[in-house]
Amino acid sequence: MSYRVAMDIGGTFTDIVVHDTETGALRASKADTTPSDLTEGVLTAIAQLEVPPTEILSFVHGTTQGLNALLERRGSKTLLVTTQGMGDVYRIARGNRSQMFDIHYRKPEPLVARHDTVEIGGRLRYDGSELHPLDEASVRAAAATARAGGYAAVAVCLLFAYTNESHELAAEAILREELGEEVAIVLSHRVAREWREYERTSSTVLEAYTGPVVRRYLTRIEDRFEREGIPSGVQVMQSSGGIVGAGYASEHPLQTLLSGPVGGTAGGVALMQLLGRKNAICVDMGGTSFDASLVIDGQPDISTDGEADGFPVLMPLVNLHTIGAGGGSVAFSESGALRVGPRSAGAQPGPACYGRGGVEPTVTDANAVLRRVDPEHFAGGRFSLDVAASDRAIAGLAEEFGMSTSDLSEGILDIANAKMAQAIRTLTVDHGREPTDFSLVAFGGAGPMHAEAIARELGIAEVIIPEFPGAFSAWGMLGSDVRRDLSAQYYVHEDQLDRSDLASVLADLVSEADGELARQCVPADRRRFEQAIDMRYAGQDYTLTVPLTELDEPTLEDFAARISARYSEQHRRRYGHATPEAKVEFVSIRVTGLGANEFGHLTGERYREDDIAARSASVWFDGRSWETPIRRRDSLPIGEAIAGPMLIVEDTTTTVISPRASIRRETLGHLTMEVQA
């Protein structure tokens, strides 16, 4: 077995990167996503690169099954079981408005209605001691409700279970006895061992709602791999940027919620490390969506909590901003104005130029009309684009606005680019970060086509196009580490800190993380652990996560003062001010177990002379046609800056360089674009 395979399953294309461990060669390709059965697209992509199934050493992929189930509201029917008197917590939610000035803002409709919530007797105190024993009869009554109502999942979230899980475990035993193995039972202390009752309930409900969909998918792909004789098993990317085995992912399906897009962030971090850079804006534009994320000081921008479609989630996840803007985004007229997306033509029928029956104008069709794609080399030349069909699709809408097809096509791209630039501002400007301090790393099947325009919109001077840009998320997954995140509530004022107790709790979490890595078959010499503490000034509500270094031994006498000073400095960097003389509170402790990837992130571009005759096309830029050379990426000279206009074609994408930019191919394989204002 010598092939390592990574795959990103998108809404339109399934991207694949293969590493041959014997020769060191890296190859990338694309195959159509098969929505009716995603495993078909997976196997087609493997066959396209002529990888013998029986020789696959490892297989990791990103899946959006859980996220899609949430977005499309096709998750499992869920019953929420909670402590007596707490049945309204989930529905009341929070009173704050996440979009303060949006007069149309509405709270997301809860995934579980009030009549799908059951209260049971028994109660713990805040410190985990028992106030009233669990009422087993009420748990059996809840099981009867689940059985009679045809619920596929039960979410159990009992008060203070993050400090003592005994009531939840006892409830699980009764529910399992009454309901058997067919009904998924999710316990809050396994999802999030942290306080904030609404957020913990929301996280538990999300796992119960999306979990059965994810488990069915993982079971199906594992069964198919076994039938095909693929010995590697299946690994899955997590929302935090690490990989786990399918077995663990089935037990903790919520961890895969942002599985697909996160691979690009992991790749961005690896690329920045290879280049010796610190800050990057990673943009992944595919056929259906546009995902933006950040690399800050060489690390992914990860939060210990976040939200999914408006619902809070208590788990580490990469900060991603996703909008419906991709190559398949449909352009249409609404109230006399031109709109683009979020609705997508998807993989079937796809844009009009795909020749699969699509007739609506899309972003890809606009690029085809402007000749910014090479019809003969699209998707590696596996099929030719029907540019005439794009002309017809755009012409109908152009006539409605009294414009030429080329002018309207530029308008479609301008709107799409403005929407994507605004998504990036949400992660940067809205958080006090200046986009011009970052390089723009563009990937995805459509990312390099729009990168220059997005960078110019934001005032960014440098765009980096990595190797295999159309499959860069898969490349990021290929070299990622195994990762397991653990946390424990640890609320104590600075003056009451028991340093020995803190050291003991941290040691217990490290031991637990070590066991989890062992379950993932990570050798002991490739395991490492990162520790951190969630802290806040006394009286504050929310926290900042302060990493601990190897020198931060909790038993040392100056530990609290040292960590407090570090928290104040981090507070100053984040918010522009700090109060070093104020007392701090410790809120939660975190341990991340990492299993180093044996191979890491590899570069693998091979250089060769272009054996294709020089070609050019009339490409539309800034309201006029320019005679534009079409070059293969692997024929560009290394280190030479070439002025635009130019189209650079390769198997997974097309890079568009206008007359106001230049491109340079670097020794490490990536392309650097210099963008003029």
Side-chain angles (χ1 to χ4, degrees):
M1 296 187 295
S2 61
Y3 293 97
R4 299 168 61 236
V5 177
M7 202 169 289
D8 178 27
I9 304 173
T12 305
F13 289 108
T14 293
D15 307 324
I16 179 173
V17 173
V18 172
H19 171 220
D20 186 336
T21 59
E22 290 186 358
T23 66
L26 281 174
R27 293 176 293 153
S29 185
K30 283 180 174 289
D32 290 338
T33 294
T34 50
S36 59
D37 184 0
L38 295 179
T39 57
E40 291 298 331
V42 168
L43 294 173
T44 299
I46 291 172
Q48 253 177 212
L49 288 181
E50 300 179 345
V51 177
T54 58
E55 296 182 25
I56 295 178
L57 173 67
S58 66
F59 175 86
V60 59
H61 77 307
T63 174
T64 55
Q65 288 293 290
L67 182 60
N68 290 343
L70 171 63
L71 297 176
E72 299 168 15
R73 295 299 189 270
R74 55 175 178 82
S76 300
K77 185 178 181 182
T78 300
L79 180 71
L80 173 60
V81 176
T82 188
T83 301
Q84 192 170 28
M86 305 300 291
D88 292 309
V89 165
Y90 182 59
R91 189 154 193 87
I92 293 173
R94 293 287 179 189
N96 58 301
R97 292 170 61 98
S98 61
Q99 301 172 40
M100 187 176 297
F101 301 106
D102 182 358
I103 62 174
H104 301 292
Y105 172 75
R106 296 290 183 274
K107 286 183 181 179
E109 188 65 26
L111 302 175
V112 173
R114 183 61 179 88
H115 62 262
D116 294 321
T117 302
V118 176
E119 300 178 8
I120 62 174
R123 188 162 181 137
L124 301 173
R125 294 184 177 90
Y126 74 94
D127 60 358
S129 60
E130 187 175 79
L131 181 63
H132 300 297
L134 183 71
D135 182 353
E136 295 188 6
S138 64
V139 179
R140 294 191 188 279
T145 299
R147 189 166 47 246
Y151 292 92
V154 178
V156 182
C157 189
L158 304 183
L159 201 60
F160 303 120
Y162 57 83
T163 60
N164 181 353
E165 65 270 19
S166 61
H167 278 197
E168 286 195 346
L169 292 173
E172 178 190 36
I174 296 170
L175 291 169
R176 186 63 68 204
E177 175 189 334
E178 295 283 341
L179 300 175
E181 298 294 330
E182 296 303 314
V183 176
I185 299 174
V186 179
L187 307 183
S188 72
H189 76 271
R190 291 176 181 158
V191 177
R193 284 190 292 193
E194 301 178 43
W195 65 6
R196 300 191 190 281
E197 206 59 29
Y198 167 58
E199 286 78 3
R200 186 163 55 92
T201 304
S202 172
S203 302
T204 307
V205 168
L206 276 168
E207 178 152 311
Y209 184 76
T210 62
V213 175
V214 175
R215 291 188 188 98
R216 285 195 296 270
Y217 164 72
L218 292 174
T219 298
R220 190 164 59 247
I221 193 170
E222 284 191 302
D223 289 346
R224 187 63 184 273
F225 270 37
E226 187 174 344
R227 292 200 305 273
E228 297 292 330
I230 300 176
S232 63
V234 176
Q235 291 180 307
V236 184
M237 195 75 179
Q238 297 181 100
S239 302
S240 59
I243 60 176
V244 290
Y248 177 85
S250 293
E251 295 174 10
H252 304 272
L254 188 63
Q255 301 288 340
T256 71
L257 201 62
L258 302 178
S259 173
V262 166
T265 311
V269 171
L271 181 61
M272 290 297 100
Q273 291 173 349
L274 287 170
L275 300 181
R277 308 279 188 86
K278 289 188 175 182
N279 300 324
I281 299 169
C282 302
V283 296
D284 180 0
M285 183 180 179
T288 305
S289 63
F290 173 85
D291 304 303
S293 59
L294 302 180
V295 178
I296 301 175
D297 291 331
Q299 298 297 320
D301 181 24
I302 295 179
S303 293
T304 56
D305 57 13
E307 68 171 40
D309 201 29
F311 298 105
V313 185
L314 285 178
M315 68 176 183
L317 72 172
V318 171
N319 284 322
L320 279 165
H321 191 67
T322 301
I323 62 172
S329 294
V330 175
F332 60 98
S333 172
E334 182 180 67
S335 302
L338 178 63
R339 309 286 187 187
V340 181
R343 187 167 62 86
S344 172
Q348 296 291 340
C353 57
Y354 283 11
R356 298 170 179 167
V359 295
E360 294 182 293
T362 67
V363 170
T364 295
D365 290 311
N367 277 306
V369 166
L370 299 173
R371 305 308 191 261
R372 295 187 186 180
V373 290
D374 181 7
E376 300 175 13
H377 206 277
F378 188 79
R382 285 187 300 279
F383 64 89
S384 297
L385 296 182
D386 185 351
V387 178
S390 292
D391 284 326
R392 291 192 297 270
I394 299 288
L397 190 59
E399 184 177 352
E400 185 175 343
F401 285 98
M403 301 172 67
S404 67
T405 56
S406 56
D407 286 341
L408 184 71
S409 295
E410 282 204 297
I412 290 172
L413 299 188
D414 287 343
I415 291 172
N417 293 332
K419 289 176 66 175
M420 291 184 281
Q422 185 56 40
I424 293 171
R425 292 189 185 99
T426 301
L427 288 177
T428 53
V429 176
D430 288 3
H431 292 272
R433 301 173 180 127
E434 179 55 56
T436 54
D437 294 337
F438 293 77
S439 298
L440 186 71
V441 178
F443 49 94
M449 298 175 67
H450 293 256
E452 180 190 336
I454 295 170
R456 185 170 286 112
E457 182 92 11
L458 295 168
I460 296 174
E462 181 185 68
V463 175
I464 297 173
I465 312 296
E467 287 186 281
F468 316 120
F472 187 67
S473 289
W475 181 82
M477 296 175 198
L478 188 69
S480 291
D481 296 337
V482 174
R483 178 174 177 134
R484 180 69 175 98
D485 295 282
L486 299 173
S487 65
Q489 201 68 49
Y490 197 85
Y491 177 63
V492 62
H493 191 278
E494 176 183 349
D495 291 340
Q496 280 81 49
L497 176 65
D498 184 333
R499 298 192 304 274
S500 297
D501 182 66
L502 174 61
S504 175
V505 176
L506 278 168
D508 288 344
L509 283 181
V510 169
S511 178
E512 185 179 348
D514 189 59
E516 294 284 0
L517 293 180
R519 281 181 58 198
Q520 301 290 316
C521 302
V522 177
D525 61 347
R526 294 215 304 270
R527 302 174 201 164
R528 73 181 193 279
F529 306 94
E530 297 175 353
Q531 304 175 19
I533 301 177
D534 288 357
M535 301 175 64
R536 66 187 186 185
Y537 287 127
Q540 283 187 324
D541 190 10
Y542 287 92
T543 62
L544 292 176
T545 301
V546 180
L548 302 183
T549 69
E550 294 180 356
L551 300 178
D552 293 324
E553 173 55 51
T555 56
L556 295 176
E557 190 171 343
D558 66 342
F559 174 79
R562 181 189 303 179
I563 299 304
S564 176
R566 191 178 303 159
Y567 169 77
S568 291
E569 179 57 33
Q570 191 164 324
H571 195 283
R572 187 186 306 279
R573 290 200 306 269
R574 178 69 178 270
Y575 300 111
H577 65 91
T579 313
E581 66 276 10
K583 295 293 186 179
V584 298
E585 292 174 334
F586 297 74
V587 178
S588 301
I589 57 178
R590 302 184 182 278
V591 168
T592 299
L594 296 164
N597 189 300
E598 181 181 356
F599 297 93
H601 288 91
L602 306 171
T603 57
E605 185 168 317
R606 298 293 180 264
Y607 310 117
R608 64 175 183 266
E609 294 296 324
D610 196 347
D611 56 359
I612 297 177
R615 293 184 296 133
S616 65
S618 296
V619 181
W620 203 268
F621 292 107
D622 299 325
R624 55 166 286 209
S625 178
W626 297 72
E627 194 63 24
T628 302
I630 300 175
R631 301 284 298 273
R632 289 178 61 96
R633 175 172 177 149
D634 50 18
S635 72
L636 295 176
I638 296 174
E640 179 182 335
I642 305 174
M646 183 185 299
L647 298 185
I648 299 175
V649 297
E650 54 186 300
D651 286 350
T652 60
T653 192
T654 299
T655 301
V656 176
I657 302 100
S658 82
R660 292 193 286 162
S662 63
I663 197 81
R664 184 176 66 253
R665 181 183 176 192
E666 310 289 3
T667 54
L668 289 178
H670 62 282
L671 303 177
T672 300
M673 185 189 304
E674 300 292 335
V675 179
Q676 302 170 16

